[in-house]
Amino acid sequence: MMENKDIVVVGIQPWDIPIGSNCKDIATQFAQGNRVLYVNNPISYIDFIKDPDSEKTKNRKDAIKYPENALYQESKNLWVYTPPVKTYPINFVNHDGLFKVLNKVNNKKFAEAIKKAVARLNFKDFILFNDQNMFLGYYLKEHLRPEKYIYYVRDNLLNVPYWKKHGHKVEPKLISKADMVFTNSLLYEENARRYNEKSFMVGQGCDTEMYQANMVAKAEELMGIEKPIIGYVGFLSSKRLDIEIIEHIAISRPDYEVVLVGPEDDSFQRSNLHQLANVRFLGPKPPETLPAYIKGFDVAINPQRLTKATMGNYPRKIDEYLAMGKPTVATRTKAMAYFGDVVFLAKDKEEYVAMIAKALASDSEEKQQERIAVGHAHSWANCVATMYNHLQNN
C-alpha cells in the first residue's frame, strides 16, 4: 500500500468522458490514501471548428474564460483540472522536424498550466502517471520533473490511424525515458520491455462492487426468453468485433437467442444480424443496469476481431462477465491466454459455436463460484496495489 503521496494523472481520456475509463478508475483508486490531480487535455484550435458545440468543447472554453474555475475538487483527495490553454493540431503535419517543434510548444503550454494547478494544491515530489498520452506527455518529464514518471500502456494505439503516423517514432522513445511502464496485457509488457526493462503487466480492474452476482436480479427485458441466451454487452463496433462470428452463431444455432446490449456503429446497423429472428438488439443501457443484463445471459461472449490493434487487448468486460459468474467464450489472443483456466477461447466462428455448447453443458455452481472469485480478484484495488508494489521495489 502506498499512502500520503501526491499523484498527477494525465491521459487521453478526459474526466468528462461519458463511458467507462481505465484512467478514471485508476485515479479514483489512487485517491484512496493519496492526493490526486486528474488533468484533462486542453482544447485544440481545431476543436473550435470540428466540434464547437459538444459538452467537452464547452467545458474547455469555460476553463479559458473562467480560469479560476478550471480546477475543482471532485471528491476527497481527488481534483480535476482543465488547463485554460489552447494547443496546436499537429497530427496532420508530415515533416518530422515541424511536428517536433509544435509538439514542444504544446507540451510547454500544457506543463506550465499543470504547474499552476500543482502550486495551488501545494503538491510536492509528485508521481506523474501518463495514460498513453504519447504526444502531449512526451516532454512532461523534463518540464515537470516528477519524482517518478510512469507510462501506462493499455491499448495498441500504434494501429489506430490518428496515432500511427507519428506514434511509431514517439511512443518507443517515451517508453524508454519513463521511469517505469505499466501495461494491462502480457503482449504489451513484452513490447514495452524492448525499450524499458522496468515494464510490468499489472492486470486490469473491474468495478467489483457493482458486479455482485448474488445481489443482482435478471433484467426484465430478458425474462420472457425461453432459449439459452448468448449475450454481449458493450459498444457494437465493427473495428473491434467480428460480425461474421455473431452471425454464424445465430444461423448455426437457431435454438439460441443472441442478445446484444449496447450502441451500434454503422456496420452493425447495416448488417444481416437485424434480419435474423433469434438476434435481439437491446440498444445502449445505463452502466448501472448492465450487471442485470449479464445476469440473464447463459453464456457471455466477446467475439473480438483479430487485428494488430486488438491482439493485445485486455477487455474489461471479461472481468465483468466473470464477476457475475457467467460462462464466457472469447477470441483466442495472447492477452486472453491470461484467462485460459476460466474462459473458453475460440480461434474462429466454428470454434465459437463448439465452445458455447461446451460452456452450456459444463456449467455448474462450483464453476460459477470459481469464475466469481477470479473476476473479483481483478479489482481496481488489486490492480493498483500491484502498481504500488512495483513502485516500492524497483
Side-chain angles (χ1 to χ4, degrees):
M1 183 68 177
M2 189 173 73
E3 294 182 319
N4 302 317
K5 300 291 293 185
D6 293 333
I7 304 173
V8 175
V9 176
V10 300
I12 57 176
Q13 294 180 308
W15 190 262
D16 48 6
I17 193 172
I19 60 175
S21 159
N22 282 25
C23 194
K24 288 173 63 175
D25 288 331
I26 290 169
T28 301
Q29 193 61 47
F30 282 158
Q32 309 301 310
N34 304 285
R35 295 198 304 164
V36 178
L37 172 64
Y38 193 101
V39 184
N40 291 326
N41 273 351
I43 194 169
S44 165
Y45 284 102
I46 202 156
D47 291 330
F48 287 98
I49 300 169
K50 290 180 63 177
D51 201 18
D53 300 319
S54 72
E55 188 68 19
K56 176 183 171 183
T57 300
K58 178 182 179 298
N59 291 345
R60 279 135 195 80
K61 286 180 178 178
D62 286 346
I64 293 170
K65 189 174 182 179
Y66 308 105
E68 66 277 8
N69 298 328
L71 174 67
Y72 70 91
Q73 187 165 4
E74 172 69 22
S75 60
K76 183 182 179 183
N77 290 339
L78 178 61
W79 289 262
V80 175
Y81 180 57
T82 302
V85 296
K86 303 171 189 174
T87 58
Y88 295 106
I90 62 173
N91 197 51
F92 71 94
V93 176
N94 292 318
H95 190 276
D96 287 348
L98 181 57
F99 174 86
K100 185 175 181 180
V101 168
L102 292 175
N103 196 38
K104 279 186 174 180
V105 172
N106 284 346
N107 270 248
K108 186 171 183 180
K109 284 185 175 184
F110 192 37
E112 291 301 317
I114 292 173
K115 285 179 183 178
K116 292 177 182 177
V118 165
R120 281 179 61 181
L121 296 174
N122 197 31
F123 274 25
K124 303 291 184 183
D125 301 322
F126 59 85
I127 293 168
L128 180 60
F129 182 91
N130 179 358
D131 171 38
Q132 222 165 351
N133 196 339
M134 65 184 80
F135 298 160
L136 265 180
Y138 188 78
Y139 296 104
L140 291 187
K141 182 176 182 179
E142 293 83 353
H143 286 304
L144 298 178
R145 298 185 179 280
E147 181 182 288
K148 283 191 177 179
Y149 185 104
I150 300 167
Y151 189 65
Y152 176 55
V153 180
R154 50 149 177 88
D155 211 342
N156 189 355
L157 295 183
L158 299 186
N159 282 290
V160 176
Y162 176 83
W163 299 101
K164 69 190 305 182
K165 185 174 184 178
H166 297 286
H168 283 284
K169 296 178 180 177
V170 172
E171 189 169 49
K173 292 178 181 177
L174 180 51
I175 288 172
S176 294
K177 68 179 179 179
D179 296 305
M180 198 167 291
V181 179
F182 293 145
T183 77
N184 70 343
S185 139
L186 292 170
L187 181 61
Y188 298 156
E189 178 193 63
E190 182 181 298
N191 292 342
R193 280 186 179 269
R194 293 160 56 196
Y195 310 104
N196 190 324
E197 64 178 13
K198 290 189 176 182
S199 298
F200 306 100
M201 202 280 262
V202 296
Q204 176 97 354
C206 170
D207 185 350
T208 52
E209 290 187 9
M210 187 163 78
Y211 290 89
Q212 294 282 347
N214 61 344
M215 297 177 65
V216 177
K218 183 165 78 171
E220 288 189 14
E221 277 185 280
L222 306 181
M223 290 292 190
I225 300 175
E226 301 296 334
K227 301 176 181 179
I229 297 175
I230 315 304
Y232 172 86
V233 164
F235 180 38
L236 297 163
S237 165
S238 56
K239 292 181 180 179
R240 296 282 180 175
L241 301 180
D242 192 323
I243 293 175
E244 187 179 347
I245 288 175
I246 303 172
E247 187 176 302
H248 182 73
I249 294 168
I251 292 173
S252 300
R253 297 300 301 255
D255 53 326
Y256 295 163
E257 194 77 6
V258 177
V259 173
L260 306 173
V261 183
E264 306 170 64
D265 70 3
D266 290 341
S267 295
F268 267 88
Q269 290 175 357
R270 295 192 304 266
S271 73
N272 186 52
L273 290 168
H274 283 275
Q275 312 308 317
L276 301 177
N278 63 329
V279 177
R280 299 192 189 201
F281 287 85
L282 300 187
K285 303 296 179 185
E288 64 274 12
T289 68
L290 297 181
Y293 286 91
I294 297 173
K295 178 79 170 185
F297 297 167
D298 293 290
V299 175
I301 59 172
N302 188 46
Q304 186 171 284
R305 285 185 62 198
L306 282 176
T307 68
K308 289 182 179 179
T310 63
M311 279 299 295
N313 277 7
Y314 182 134
R316 59 191 283 159
K317 66 175 51 57
I318 297 297
D319 283 327
E320 294 164 358
Y321 292 160
L322 293 175
M324 294 299 293
K326 293 301 167 181
T328 299
V329 181
T331 302
R332 184 184 298 278
T333 66
K334 186 159 188 173
M336 285 305 302
Y338 181 66
F339 292 96
D341 292 338
V342 289
V343 172
F344 295 90
L345 301 179
K347 69 173 187 264
D348 53 33
K349 61 186 181 182
E350 288 79 18
E351 274 204 357
Y352 256 91
V353 173
M355 291 296 181
I356 289 170
K358 187 175 180 180
L360 285 168
S362 64
D363 195 21
S364 67
E365 177 65 26
E366 182 181 352
K367 289 187 176 181
Q368 290 170 21
Q369 293 305 315
E370 180 185 354
R371 290 189 288 263
I372 289 171
V374 171
H376 280 260
H378 298 165
S379 65
W380 285 114
N382 287 345
C383 174
V384 170
T386 303
M387 294 183 189
Y388 291 160
N389 183 59
H390 288 304
L391 283 167
Q392 290 165 349
N393 292 297
N394 292 279

